[in-house]
């Protein structure tokens, strides 16, 4: 009698192996998502803390009562060093808005004091990117191609210096020209002409003894900072000017800035920061 052959038993539970693998992978996927979400929260916290510290250092939102973060590894803003980036007026530190209001008050006073020069368009007064800008047009203050001021320059400078002497602001004298090349017995280029005019005006202001020397500086920019196009004679005439820039002293401690944990130093390529 032949032995009965045993049939291979077919398992109907093999799908459990694939299902278990799928569940394991799905679990791992959500673990990765959870870890990424926690990392993003930390980055958001760092960015929020840095922005808050920047506003506090500028004097903005000084009365804000934000609750410090008590979680481990996330110190509050009060515990972190604040980057000193304040606008100084004498011994006082003012917010940018207050400084702008003060400069606007000076602009109104100077516009009234120099009303004749403003009316004849030899002087213009306006707010600029660094502060209040008083533009002295070449036509009213210098002969063409010369760095010797006209006789009527000193009274105008005295009026300006008398108003600024009572303020703690710095004064930067900037010389500007048009794009027409110059080459004469005195100057080889517009660089020399603009620098000579700026230092000449600065010397006249110093001789008035109304503004401290450490508050005064001079620079020549040649034709590279025009206010209008040089394509027309009117535009070139407007670009030939002396700018007296009234600007506050910004006190920035770069050594502290480099060590600040909320403002890390970038290791990337240096970029030029402009006002465009």
């Amino acid at each position: 009698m032949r032995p009965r052959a045993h049939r291979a038993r077919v398992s109907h539970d093999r799908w459990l192996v694939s299902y278990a693998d799928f569940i394991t992978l799905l679990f791992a996927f959500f673990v990765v998502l959870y870890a990424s979400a926690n990392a993003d929260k930390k980055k958001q916290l760092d960015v929020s803390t840095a922005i808050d510290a920047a506003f506090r250092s500028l004097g903005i939102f000084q009365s804000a009562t934000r609750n410090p973060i008590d979680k481990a590894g996330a110190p509050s803003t009060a515990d972190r060093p604040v980057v000193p980036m304040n606008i100084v007026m004498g011994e006082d530190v003012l917010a940018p808005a207050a400084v702008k209001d003060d400069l606007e008050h000076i602009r109104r006073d100077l516009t009234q004091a120099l009303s004749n020069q403003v009316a004849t368009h030899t002087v213009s007064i306006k707010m600029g990117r660094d502060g209040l800008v008083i533009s002295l047009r070449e036509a009213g203050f210098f002969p063409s191609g010369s760095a010797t001021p006209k006789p009527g320059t000193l009274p105008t400078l005295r009026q300006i210096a008398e108003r600024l002497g009572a303020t703690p602001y710095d004064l930067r004298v900037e010389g500007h020209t048009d794009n027409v090349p110059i080459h004469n017995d005195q100057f080889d280029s517009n660089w020399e002409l603009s620098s000579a005019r700026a230092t000449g005006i600065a010397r006249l202001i110093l001789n008035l003894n109304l503004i401290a020397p450490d508050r005064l500086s001079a620079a020549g920019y040649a034709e590279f900072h025009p206010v209008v196009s040089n394509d027309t004679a009117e535009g070139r005439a407007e670009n030939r000017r002396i700018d007296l820039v009234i600007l506050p002293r910004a006190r920035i401690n770069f050594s502290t800035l480099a060590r600040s944990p909320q403002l890390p130093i970038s290791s990337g390529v240096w970029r030029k920061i402009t006002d465009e």
Side-chain angles (χ1 to χ4, degrees), residues 8-170:
R9 184 177 179 181
V10 179
S11 175
H12 296 286
D13 298 330
R14 295 181 60 183
W15 63 272
L16 289 173
V17 177
S18 299
Y19 179 74
D21 291 340
F22 171 75
I23 292 299
T24 303
L25 292 175
L26 192 63
F27 175 75
F29 174 74
F30 281 108
V31 168
V32 172
L33 286 181
Y34 177 77
S36 301
N38 283 344
D40 290 341
K41 287 182 179 179
K42 186 177 185 303
K43 291 179 181 178
Q44 292 175 3
L45 175 63
D46 292 340
V47 171
S48 174
T49 303
I51 293 174
D52 180 67
F55 278 119
R56 285 160 59 94
S57 65
L58 288 173
I60 305 174
F61 307 143
Q62 291 181 346
S63 60
T65 55
R66 297 186 58 177
N67 295 327
I69 305 299
D70 296 329
K71 296 181 179 179
S76 66
T77 304
D79 297 332
R80 294 186 173 184
V82 177
V83 180
M85 192 164 46
N86 304 320
I87 296 177
V88 183
M89 287 187 61
E91 298 299 327
D92 299 326
V93 177
L94 296 183
V99 173
K100 185 175 181 181
D101 291 341
D102 193 55
L103 291 177
E104 183 63 29
H105 180 69
I106 296 175
R107 186 192 67 80
R108 291 193 296 267
D109 288 349
L110 287 175
T111 300
Q112 183 176 3
L114 304 174
S115 58
N116 293 335
Q117 294 89 330
V118 173
T120 57
H121 302 288
T122 57
V123 173
S124 67
I125 307 173
K126 63 182 179 180
M127 284 293 182
R129 63 173 183 174
D130 294 331
L132 184 62
V133 180
I134 307 169
S135 292
L136 312 179
R137 304 286 169 75
E138 179 199 59
F141 297 93
F142 290 97
S144 179
S146 173
T148 302
K150 292 181 178 180
T153 301
L154 191 58
T156 300
L157 294 180
R158 182 180 296 276
Q159 287 180 293
I160 297 173
E162 286 176 348
R163 180 62 182 87
L164 298 182
T167 71
Y169 297 116
D170 287 345

Side-chain angles (χ1 to χ4, degrees), residues 152-223:
T153 301
L154 191 58
T156 300
L157 294 180
R158 182 180 296 276
Q159 287 180 293
I160 297 173
E162 286 176 348
R163 180 62 182 87
L164 298 182
T167 71
Y169 297 116
D170 287 345
L171 180 64
R172 186 173 66 222
V173 184
E174 300 179 351
H176 300 274
T177 68
D178 58 22
N179 64 347
V180 177
I182 185 174
H183 184 77
N184 55 27
D185 295 338
Q186 290 182 296
F187 309 108
D188 290 330
S189 71
N190 285 325
W191 286 109
E192 285 83 356
L193 176 60
S194 62
S195 299
R197 286 180 171 179
T199 54
I201 293 296
R203 188 182 301 111
L204 290 177
I205 295 175
L206 281 176
N207 292 338
L208 295 174
N209 296 319
L210 295 173
I211 298 179
D214 64 334
R215 294 170 50 196
L216 192 64
S217 61
Y221 293 92
E223 69 267 25

Side-chain angles (χ1 to χ4, degrees), residues 204-272:
L204 290 177
I205 295 175
L206 281 176
N207 292 338
L208 295 174
N209 296 319
L210 295 173
I211 298 179
D214 64 334
R215 294 170 50 196
L216 192 64
S217 61
Y221 293 92
E223 69 267 25
F224 299 104
H225 289 264
V227 291
V228 294
S229 173
N230 281 302
D231 294 338
T232 64
E234 293 78 9
R236 291 190 293 272
E238 191 170 348
N239 288 328
R240 296 192 298 268
R241 69 197 190 277
I242 290 289
D243 282 347
L244 305 180
V245 185
I246 306 170
L247 63 160
R249 294 184 176 183
R251 185 165 55 194
I252 304 176
N253 189 333
F254 285 99
S255 61
T256 304
L257 181 65
R259 295 194 300 267
S260 178
Q262 71 267 28
L263 294 174
I265 300 176
S266 174
S267 59
V269 180
W270 284 89
R271 295 179 300 172
K272 181 179 179 182

